Structures are given as structure tokens and as C-alpha cells.
Amino acid sequence: MDVAAGTAPPTPQERAAGDAVLQDLYTPAGRLDPYSRYARLREIAPVYITGSGSAVLTGFDDCVAVLRDPVMRTPDGDPQDPGLPGWRERPSTRTLGESMLVRNPPEHTRLRRLVSGAFSPRRVMELAPDVEGLVAACLDRMADAGADGSPVNLRDLLAFPLPSAVIGTLLGIPESDWAWLDGPMADIVPALDLSVPEVALDRADDAARLLLPYFAELAADRRREPREDLISALVAARDGDEQLTEEELVPTIILIYAAGFSTTVGLITNGALALLRSPDQLILLRNDLSLSHAVVEEALRYDTPVQAVSRAPSRDVVIGGIEIPAGTKINPFLAAANRDPLRFPDPDRFDLTRTEAKSISFGGGVHFCLGSALARLEGAVVFRALVERFPKLALAGEPELSPEFNFRSYSNVPVTVR
């Protein structure tokens, strides 16, 4: 692969400046505004080689090329050891670190095939009435909680419970367990982050110890009494000819649940906040509810729920004129690519009238997000229903950013609904 040749390696001064920008990303100020840091890093070098030898990509074309190139592999197995030594000894990182998310073909192909039918366009459209009903129920609770004009947290009453309920419906998890699962599922997701404090990993381990036996028992129940749900289909694959092993069954269920709600929480909180901070765009949506789909696409671009991914080439490659040896850790920063001014004019503006091609927020290549159609459906229903149900919806305080860097969302989005 040779992409956009002509870039020179950073000078020692540029490397020092670039490493300082990368370190700053993980500070409170950097997490609050990573986008100005990405712009600075792109100015230094769009293909930036860090002091430790890894590569960081901030240009749209370079990121797309890496995501789609079959020589690029996810960091499965031993390559994860330098970034998180002892990950196999922790129940959370072992459960998620050996899942489909970080597998490569042919194992990834086999596992993806087993679950892809549940996220087909036909199946997603069949879920539309369920999604609309669940959104309406969430908005009812918001209306009740904010009936006296007091602020309510859009995250707790809508952005979190909705995708949790949707993926719970798809998997076949009893509705009586949805509320209980919210806690441990929220706690295990940080184990997928690029930078995780020890205390967060400890909480993720505690969550894994609750989730593993819970889903094992649920799978055993579906083995005794199959239903029309995804867990039953996965159990059938385990017991049939599709070669889903017992060791893969429960981690696959946990990954589907975690991935099925965590990024959608970011889409909803980030998109709602962007709308409320852009009154002109909010007016556009109120005047034309069909723009709810445009809100989804622009929210994915403007404040990307997954900031970066990791890849490593299986052979030597050239990216942006820079030689990258086989096995080098490469981080395509999706959020930076989505604000590349060469691809998106005036990239720091939230604009529902954009006509450019879609962002790369759902990745690309063999690891393109399986749940993208479902997330888009949930987002479009949410943004339309929000402004239709609450024409006076307004921000009622300073939002609070979630502590994770890579899975970007807000833990508190205070709003008034009347």
C-alpha cells in the first residue's frame, strides 16, 4: 500500500511537539476538546510516527486506506501484550480481548457470519416498531421527570436505556433484567478503551464476574427452550455445524450487547448536545423532521463515538510516503479523519446540509460495524421524536463528559423539556 506519497518523517522538534499533543489528549482538557489537538497533529504530520515507534493517522484518505487494506490486521493475541501486559489474567480483558472485535480472518469471518443475519437491513426494519415504542416510553419518563420544569439527564433517561433495551430485545434478554444489566455492562465497556485506569479495569473485572455466569445460564436456558432470538441462534450454531465453540459463545453474546449499546449512547448524547449547541440547526430539524437522518450522519462525523482503532500491517507498507514496518501499531484516528478539512469543508461546524460522503465512524473493511444500520435507525427515531415531543427542549447546564477517551459520550446532558 502506498498512499499519498511525499510526506517526510517528523524532525526531532516535530516529534517532541507531536508526542506532547498526544499526551495532552488524555488530560481532562484534551478529552474535552480533542479536535483542536487532532488539527495540530495533522499540521505536524498527517502520518505521525511517535517516539515509541507507533503510527498515528489523522488524514481521511490515509485512515480509509488502512481500514480497507486486507494486509492490516487487528491486534489479536500476543500483539496486545505490550499495551496491556497480563490482559489474559483479567476476566474483562480476556473476555473482550479474544472476541470477534479483535479477531482476524478466517476466525473473524466465521464469527461475523454467525451474527450478521441479526443485523441485516430486513431484520433492522422489522425492529423499527420496537424502537419507536421504546423511544416513546423513554420520552414519557423524561416528560414525567421534567414536568415541573426541573432539569433531567438525557443520558440516563434516553441515551443509555434505549440502546440497552433494543439490543436486549434482539438478543432475547428478559425485560426484567434490562435495568440490572445496565450497571455491569456500563462497567465492562472501558476494558475496550485505548487508555484505561487500573480502577476502571478492576470494575470491569467485577462486571465480567457477574456477566459471564449470567449469560452462560441464559444460553443454557435457550438450549433447553429455544426462542426466536439471537442467543438461541448462537446456541444452535454452537450445537450445530457452524463451529462456534463453547469458549466463544458467552464472550460473543457479551460483545454484541456491549457494542450494541455503548457506541449508540455516544451517538445520542453527542448528537443531542451538538443540536442544542447549534440553534440554527435545531430550527432546521424542527422545520423538517426528515432531517433526522442527517442529524445522525453529522453527529457521527462531528463528535465521533469511537475516536480511534488499532491495526498492524502483516508486511511492510508505505503510508503517506512513510515506510511502516510489518507489525507496527497503527492508530487511524477516525475522529480526526472526520474533521479533515481536505474532505469536509469548515469541519468544525455542525451542519445538517452537508453533501459530502459519509464519515468513517463505523470503520471500514472486514471490521465495518455490524450494527451500523441499527444504530442509524435508533438515532433517526430519537432525534425526530425528541424535537417533535419536546419543542422547547433546551440545555440546562454544563454537560459532563464520560471518563473514557476512546468511547466518547456524555455521562450527564442536563435538559429541560418544557
Side-chain angles (χ1 to χ4, degrees), residues 21-336:
V21 171
L22 287 173
Q23 291 173 6
D24 189 40
L25 274 175
Y26 297 95
T27 66
R31 288 193 307 106
L32 196 62
D33 174 25
Y35 299 103
S36 62
R37 276 79 175 171
Y38 296 150
R40 172 61 182 139
L41 194 60
R42 192 184 300 110
E43 291 173 358
I44 295 171
V47 180
Y48 179 76
I49 307 302
T50 70
S52 62
S54 63
V56 173
L57 312 183
T58 51
F60 187 91
D61 290 343
D62 291 332
C63 288
V64 169
V66 166
L67 292 172
R68 293 178 178 174
D69 195 326
V71 309
M72 294 293 170
R73 299 176 65 82
T74 56
D76 58 349
D78 293 341
Q80 295 187 76
D81 292 336
L84 190 61
W87 65 272
R88 290 181 180 84
E89 280 67 56
R90 286 185 171 272
S92 60
T93 50
R94 184 178 66 249
T95 297
L96 297 175
E98 294 182 339
S99 67
M100 175 175 60
L101 189 67
V102 293
R103 296 281 192 96
N104 290 292
E107 291 83 3
H108 173 268
T109 307
R110 171 177 58 86
L111 293 170
R112 186 180 177 101
R113 185 177 64 247
L114 293 172
V115 301
S116 59
F119 297 96
S120 67
R122 179 187 63 81
R123 179 60 178 133
V124 168
M125 290 313 299
E126 290 174 351
L127 284 170
D130 291 321
V131 172
E132 291 168 355
L134 290 166
V135 169
C138 289
L139 297 186
D140 285 345
R141 288 189 285 272
M142 285 182 67
D144 291 342
D148 61 355
S150 61
V152 298
N153 186 352
L154 182 143
R155 185 265 190 191
D156 286 352
L157 294 178
L158 174 63
F160 193 98
L162 171 68
S164 177
V166 170
I167 200 64
T169 299
L170 185 67
L171 283 164
I173 295 167
E175 185 174 352
S176 58
D177 292 345
W178 291 352
W180 173 80
L181 280 169
D182 284 352
M185 290 308 303
D187 285 343
I188 200 172
V189 167
L192 291 168
D193 211 344
L194 293 179
S195 177
V196 192
E198 192 78 12
V199 64
L201 281 179
D202 290 341
R203 285 196 300 269
D205 289 341
D206 290 340
R209 294 184 187 100
L210 293 173
L211 295 171
L212 288 165
Y214 171 81
F215 284 111
E217 178 56 34
L218 202 57
D221 179 70
R222 293 300 187 273
R223 183 172 284 116
R224 291 188 295 267
E225 297 182 22
R227 303 181 187 179
E228 293 295 322
D229 56 41
L230 183 50
I231 290 180
S232 296
L234 292 173
V235 169
R238 162 69 187 98
D239 296 338
D241 300 325
E242 292 293 331
Q243 300 178 340
L244 180 67
T245 69
E246 191 68 35
E247 292 74 20
E248 292 168 334
L249 176 59
V250 171
T252 297
I253 296 171
I254 292 175
L255 173 69
I256 292 170
Y257 198 116
F261 86 88
S262 59
T263 53
T264 309
V265 172
L267 166 60
I268 296 172
T269 62
N270 303 0
L273 184 57
L275 266 177
L276 292 170
R277 285 175 166 171
S278 306
D280 59 329
Q281 302 304 299
L282 184 58
I283 291 171
L284 281 180
L285 176 60
R286 283 174 174 154
N287 291 337
D288 182 1
L289 293 176
S290 70
L291 286 174
S292 60
H293 297 280
V295 178
V296 172
E297 299 306 326
E298 182 66 345
L300 288 167
R301 183 203 69 82
Y302 180 79
D303 203 3
T304 309
V306 178
Q307 296 280 291
V309 296
S310 294
R311 297 290 186 268
S314 58
R315 59 172 174 78
D316 295 352
V317 296
V318 177
I319 305 174
I322 306 296
E323 295 182 2
I324 309 290
T328 299
K329 180 181 179 181
I330 300 175
N331 288 131
F333 271 71
L334 311 181

